[in-house]
Amino acid sequence: MGQQPPDKLGFQLAAVSGEEPEFPATELLTHRAQSRGWQSARNPSYPQELAFRMDGPVRLKQLQILSHEYKIASRIEVFIAPPEAHSSDRPPHWKR
């Protein structure tokens, strides 16, 4: 018997620091063959940031990031915050 594919998580795009008009961050919300993906604006200030809000608490075991063969990030950092951090008026306390 084969292994079941992982469930896709429900999430929303909470914030984005920049994007190319032809490659908006909203492209990350759908998973289909025609998706073009997100690209930062040309000559951006760094760091570029994407913030996602999960639809509920999740246990994340794997995160896949696909890069274009000529546009590879030199560094990627992933931060998390507990669900209650998003319900207050204060910015979330992020953890690596």
Side-chain angles (χ1 to χ4, degrees):
M1 226 187 242
Q3 198 174 23
Q4 292 290 334
D7 293 331
K8 291 196 171 53
L9 295 175
F11 64 91
Q12 299 143 22
L13 185 63
V16 60
S17 58
E19 60 192 9
E20 271 295 308
E22 300 85 29
F23 301 95
T26 54
E27 283 286 309
L28 301 173
L29 298 175
T30 56
H31 186 79
R32 57 179 209 255
Q34 298 83 12
S35 294
R36 295 172 39 151
W38 166 79
Q39 288 185 24
S40 63
R42 291 179 189 227
N43 304 312
S45 60
Y46 290 98
Q48 286 291 289
E49 298 178 353
L50 294 168
F52 298 98
R53 180 176 293 128
M54 302 300 170
D55 289 347
V58 298
R59 182 179 178 141
L60 192 62
K61 293 182 180 181
Q62 180 177 334
L63 178 66
Q64 292 182 337
I65 299 172
L66 177 65
S67 294
H68 186 280
E69 61 185 286
Y70 300 112
K71 300 175 182 178
I72 301 171
S74 59
R75 181 174 165 177
I76 296 174
E77 294 181 297
V78 176
F79 295 87
I80 61 169
E84 61 272 9
H86 300 291
S87 61
S88 68
D89 293 332
R90 299 174 313 188
H93 178 70
W94 299 102
K95 278 183 12 182
R96 284 183 191 211

